[in-house]
Amino acid sequence: MTLVQLEYIIAVDTYRSFVVAAQKCFVTQPTLSMQVQKLEETLGVKLFDRSKQPVVPTDIGIEIINQARTVLIENQKIKELVSDRQKELFGELKIGIIPTVAPYLLPKIINGFVEKYPLVKLIVWEKTTEEIIQQLKTGMLDCGLLSTPLHENNLVEIPVFYENFVAYVSKNSSLFKKKSILPNDINLEEVWILNEGHCMRDQVLNICQRKSSTKSFQHFEYNTGSVETLKRMVDQNNGATILPELALEEMTVKQLDKVRYFKSPEPAREVSLVIQKSFLKRKMIDALKNEIIDFIPKRMRSKKKKDVVEI
Amino acid sequence: MTLVQLEYIIAVDTYRSFVVAAQKCFVTQPTLSMQVQKLEETLGVKLFDRSKQPVVPTDIGIEIINQARTVLIENQKIKELVSDRQKELFGELKIGIIPTVAPYLLPKIINGFVEKYPLVKLIVWEKTTEEIIQQLKTGMLDCGLLSTPLHENNLVEIPVFYENFVAYVSKNSSLFKKKSILPNDINLEEVWILNEGHCMRDQVLNICQRKSSTKSFQHFEYNTGSVETLKRMVDQNNGATILPELALEEMTVKQLDKVRYFKSPEPAREVSLVIQKSFLKRKMIDALKNEIIDFIPKRMRSKKKKDVVEI
DNA sequence: AAAAACAATAGATAAAATTGATAATTAGTA
DNA sequence: TACTAATTATCAATTTTATCTATTGTTTTT
């Protein structure tokens, strides 16, 4: 049994194809096939059922592949022990961020981070919560920045900040006259909402429907994955939408005029760095966390007087 | 980096010698040296300081060797996943047992175990507590059967039984006339005690000196590591000694006559199966535990009404 | 200072992993 | 049912790697 063989079976499991797995491992298909066979021979069990297309791992194969992941992670940590000794952080950090957080946070901190840690290569993907969870588990991502709690057993959440939601309303909305609002002031009919797959969509629905359970008829449907688009819908049409607090940072005075805050306790979302239980690349992730905390206003560090919305 | 290289550096660390490590790994010294060098090269750090004799691991070397142990353990678990599927237990189980437990327990259960699990090879060593702890940590032993609690952070204790201590007294001892005794009835001057290194020695001293803190002058010193020898000293000379409950099992009527029980709560020792946190070979160890429990009288399963002595 | 023990080095050899070409198998389609 | 495309297994040749024997420097012990 070798570490390479373990890498190979993980690749086959990940891509469900010997050909693709071989490409990803930068070897030819026979090479990979041979090594997988050898491993199967030394263990005395078939790991994959090749009679099906695409190949699927056997029952015992699933268990073994999982354990193989653990072995490789523990092995990774050896290299990490070495690079941790270096004064300077070094290596690459693969981050997944949900689209409702990314635009307000990343541009602000990326420059500072890259300057502070010039040897670290940040690789960022905008992905949905579901994708990030999946890829954290397989190790394709090192960490995720998303709204929690996830109630995922194999992941560890490191809460970074608590971001209030605010209403953003057009002048002809009934909400515009109010100084501050309550969740059941909101008429779901006039609220622009993100399309499915975004956790913030669920959170917003959670806030609005909490008391006003009137399922109203939607006259018009517009699907977007971008909070900025929602804002523009309000700006250029009418109605209202819910924005995360950080979206206010770049607003003009005219736009800030349309913001209505919720009465305390304000609905808020918990945003966390999420990592595997393996705690790989801990130092880099800690550095990233500190960079975020430095940027975030102090009031957002605590969840006091906030009503953290579930997903 | 390969698993073999990790095995090699662990061997070098264990034996503090390239020559011996090579022998234990069944390769020649240059082979092992080369692989260690290669690993040092890929990691970019020296793992051992060869300028000193015997070789010592560097600071980073210690960390890396520890992590290497974790990697190999996790790798072992892959094989275990396979053998766990087998209905029959299979493999070898290396057990360390303290000498004050071994003679009363092992002969009773070994036959039953070997019969029940014919494919398991039991390898038993009688060792002191300290040695067992040490070798559990390095993985040279799979489990230990010894008196607990050990307060060792990396080991897990699975209490198996609670064994009372009893006094064994000669006819001309003042204790002989009593029906049952208290710890401070015992005169340390006339008690035969195990030599240093045995945890039961400390426990016995703990019992006797707890209240009678009179440090008395010992007229005669006899060093033995065997509880049976202590018993014979009482049989053929005079004085008294403390025996573990299981030692009574094989006694003649004449000998049982010399036993004096302590008043409740009787002083007792906790005997546990101790394993690494890695939970390797869990199934075999569970089987062993059940075998022991089957043999042990029911009253010994619980620590109720017993005064468990610290080590 | 000499001897013994130890680790590093060099060249030769055996073992292995990898490759390219090809055969066998499976899934989907006409 | 036969055909095509895609996928995996097999085989011989090649490259790479690990290991061995013999030997050379070190360090430690006597």
Side-chain angles (χ1 to χ4, degrees):
Chain A
M1 183 163 9
T2 70
L3 291 170
V4 174
Q5 289 171 346
L6 300 186
E7 279 167 27
Y8 288 172
I9 61 169
I10 289 170
V12 173
D13 178 61
T14 306
Y15 302 105
R16 298 295 162 102
S17 153
F18 281 68
V19 175
V20 178
Q23 284 172 352
K24 300 287 178 178
C25 293
F26 304 106
V27 291
T28 58
Q29 169 264 318
T31 301
L32 186 131
S33 284
M34 285 293 278
Q35 289 306 318
V36 173
Q37 279 177 47
K38 259 193 177 165
L39 182 57
E40 288 179 322
E41 208 171 302
T42 54
L43 293 177
V45 289
K46 273 257 164 300
L47 298 174
F48 296 99
D49 182 355
R50 288 106 155 150
S51 78
K52 301 214 173 85
Q53 227 13 279
V55 283
V56 285
T58 59
D59 288 354
I60 182 72
I62 292 170
E63 290 183 61
I64 288 172
I65 290 159
N66 272 333
Q67 184 58 28
R69 285 210 169 84
T70 309
V71 174
L72 291 192
I73 284 171
E74 292 300 329
N75 188 57
Q76 272 294 107
K77 285 191 192 165
I78 290 180
K79 289 181 194 158
E80 210 154 292
L81 283 172
V82 177
S83 57
D84 277 2
R85 283 171 62 86
Q86 241 78 39
K87 271 154 228 151
E88 263 196 293
L89 285 181
F90 177 88
E92 63 179 39
L93 188 64
K94 285 162 284 182
I95 314 168
I97 309 197
I98 52 173
T100 55
V101 170
Y104 309 116
L105 198 63
L106 267 191
K108 308 285 187 172
I109 60 160
I110 273 196
N111 278 334
F113 188 94
V114 171
E115 213 168 286
K116 226 178 199 169
Y117 310 104
L119 299 178
V120 175
K121 184 175 180 188
L122 284 183
I123 305 173
V124 182
W125 280 283
E126 260 186 45
K127 285 176 191 292
T128 65
T129 300
E130 220 173 322
E131 288 173 315
I132 293 173
I133 291 174
Q134 171 60 26
Q135 295 185 8
L136 276 174
K137 286 180 181 172
T138 64
M140 289 177 70
L141 287 175
D142 296 316
C143 68
L145 189 64
L146 35 80
S147 190
T148 48
L150 302 173
H151 307 296
E152 285 284 336
N153 223 340
N154 290 309
L155 302 178
V156 176
E157 300 171 4
I158 308 165
V160 184
F161 60 87
Y162 298 86
E163 183 176 26
N164 289 337
F165 290 108
V166 301
Y168 187 72
V169 298
S170 60
K171 283 174 181 163
N172 47 8
S173 164
S174 59
L175 292 171
F176 191 80
K177 290 148 208 155
K178 306 209 175 203
K179 285 214 161 175
S180 61
I181 59 172
L182 282 171
N184 38 2
D185 293 337
I186 298 171
N187 181 4
L188 248 189
E189 272 180 76
E190 65 162 1
V191 176
W192 301 102
I193 293 182
L194 292 175
N195 59 18
E196 283 186 19
H198 294 279
C199 65
M200 199 178 122
R201 172 197 170 90
D202 302 323
Q203 290 169 326
V204 168
L205 289 175
N206 237 323
I207 296 168
C208 299
Q209 292 185 326
R210 202 175 295 162
K211 286 158 189 175
S212 66
S213 63
T214 53
K215 280 193 180 172
S216 54
F217 175 74
Q218 211 92 27
H219 299 282
F220 174 69
E221 203 173 305
Y222 185 87
N223 287 304
T224 178
S226 151
V227 176
E228 279 304 301
T229 306
L230 297 180
K231 205 180 89 191
R232 287 201 193 98
M233 291 300 280
V234 173
D235 280 338
Q236 281 151 41
N237 297 284
N238 44 22
T241 193
I242 307 287
L243 302 178
E245 187 178 358
L246 283 177
L248 310 185
E249 292 267 333
E250 305 277 280
M251 280 190 182
T252 62
V253 182
K254 215 174 174 182
Q255 289 176 321
L256 282 172
D257 203 38
K258 297 182 208 158
V259 172
R260 292 296 174 273
Y261 295 95
F262 284 94
K263 289 203 176 81
S264 182
E266 297 176 69
R269 63 175 176 181
E270 179 182 71
V271 177
S272 301
L273 273 169
V274 180
I275 57 176
Q276 284 176 293
K277 274 197 175 158
S278 62
F279 288 95
L280 225 51
K281 308 209 180 175
R282 191 61 204 267
K283 277 206 171 180
M284 274 193 249
I285 291 164
D286 277 347
L288 180 65
K289 180 190 163 194
N290 290 330
E291 215 55 29
I292 297 171
I293 287 176
D294 283 352
F295 162 70
I296 290 291
K298 261 193 186 169
R299 65 174 188 283
M300 295 180 67
R301 283 287 297 143
S302 157
K303 62 176 162 184
K304 274 177 196 161
K305 296 189 188 167
K306 294 180 186 178
D307 177 18
V308 177
V309 182
E310 285 281 321
I311 301 170
Chain B
M1 182 160 14
T2 71
L3 291 170
V4 174
Q5 289 171 345
L6 300 186
E7 279 167 29
Y8 289 171
I9 62 169
I10 289 171
V12 173
D13 178 61
T14 306
Y15 301 106
R16 297 298 161 98
S17 154
F18 280 68
V19 175
V20 178
Q23 283 173 353
K24 300 286 178 179
C25 294
F26 304 105
V27 291
T28 57
Q29 169 263 316
T31 301
L32 186 132
S33 285
M34 285 293 279
Q35 290 307 317
V36 173
Q37 279 178 48
K38 257 191 177 166
L39 181 58
E40 288 178 323
E41 209 170 300
T42 53
L43 293 176
V45 289
K46 273 257 163 297
L47 298 174
F48 296 99
D49 182 355
R50 288 104 155 148
S51 77
K52 293 199 177 104
Q53 217 33 264
V55 281
V56 284
T58 59
D59 288 354
I60 182 72
I62 292 170
E63 289 182 61
I64 288 172
I65 290 159
N66 272 333
Q67 185 57 30
R69 286 209 169 85
T70 308
V71 174
L72 291 191
I73 284 171
E74 293 300 329
N75 188 57
Q76 273 294 105
K77 286 190 191 167
I78 291 180
K79 290 181 192 160
E80 212 154 293
L81 284 173
V82 177
S83 57
D84 277 3
R85 282 171 63 85
Q86 240 77 40
K87 273 154 223 152
E88 262 196 296
L89 286 181
F90 175 88
E92 65 179 37
L93 188 64
K94 285 163 283 180
I95 315 168
I97 310 197
I98 52 173
T100 56
V101 170
Y104 309 116
L105 199 63
L106 266 192
K108 309 283 187 174
I109 60 160
I110 272 197
N111 279 332
F113 188 93
V114 171
E115 214 167 286
K116 229 175 196 168
Y117 309 105
L119 298 179
V120 176
K121 185 174 180 188
L122 284 183
I123 304 173
V124 183
W125 279 282
E126 261 187 42
K127 286 177 188 295
T128 64
T129 299
E130 219 173 322
E131 288 172 315
I132 293 174
I133 292 173
Q134 171 60 25
Q135 296 185 8
L136 276 174
K137 285 179 181 172
T138 63
M140 290 178 68
L141 287 174
D142 297 315
C143 69
L145 189 63
L146 36 80
S147 191
T148 47
L150 301 173
H151 307 297
E152 284 284 336
N153 223 340
N154 290 309
L155 302 178
V156 176
E157 300 172 4
I158 309 165
V160 184
F161 60 87
Y162 296 86
E163 183 177 27
N164 289 337
F165 290 108
V166 301
Y168 188 72
V169 299
S170 60
K171 283 173 185 166
N172 46 10
S173 164
S174 60
L175 293 171
F176 192 78
K177 289 145 208 156
K178 306 207 177 205
K179 284 215 162 176
S180 62
I181 60 172
L182 282 169
N184 38 1
D185 293 336
I186 298 170
N187 181 3
L188 247 188
E189 270 180 77
E190 63 162 4
V191 176
W192 301 102
I193 293 181
L194 291 174
N195 59 19
E196 285 185 18
H198 294 279
C199 66
M200 197 177 123
R201 172 198 170 91
D202 302 324
Q203 291 168 323
V204 168
L205 289 175
N206 238 322
I207 296 167
C208 299
Q209 293 184 327
R210 201 174 295 162
K211 287 157 189 177
S212 66
S213 64
T214 53
K215 279 195 180 169
S216 54
F217 175 74
Q218 212 91 26
H219 298 284
F220 175 67
E221 204 174 306
Y222 185 89
N223 287 304
T224 179
S226 150
V227 176
E228 280 304 301
T229 307
L230 298 179
K231 206 180 86 189
R232 287 201 191 100
M233 292 301 279
V234 173
D235 281 337
Q236 281 150 43
N237 298 281
N238 45 23
T241 194
I242 307 286
L243 301 178
E245 188 178 357
L246 283 176
L248 309 185
E249 292 267 332
E250 304 277 278
M251 279 191 183
T252 63
V253 183
K254 217 173 170 181
Q255 288 176 322
L256 283 171
D257 204 38
K258 297 182 208 159
V259 172
R260 292 295 173 275
Y261 295 96
F262 284 95
K263 289 202 176 80
S264 184
E266 297 176 70
R269 64 176 175 180
E270 179 182 71
V271 177
S272 300
L273 274 168
V274 179
I275 57 178
Q276 285 176 292
K277 273 196 176 157
S278 63
F279 288 94
L280 224 51
K281 307 208 181 177
R282 191 61 203 268
K283 276 208 172 179
M284 276 194 247
I285 291 165
D286 277 348
L288 180 65
K289 180 191 162 192
N290 290 331
E291 215 54 30
I292 296 172
I293 287 176
D294 285 351
F295 162 70
I296 290 292
K298 262 191 186 169
R299 64 173 188 285
M300 295 180 68
R301 283 288 295 144
S302 157
K303 62 176 163 184
K304 275 178 196 161
K305 297 190 188 167
K306 295 179 187 177
D307 177 19
V308 177
V309 182
E310 284 281 322
I311 302 173

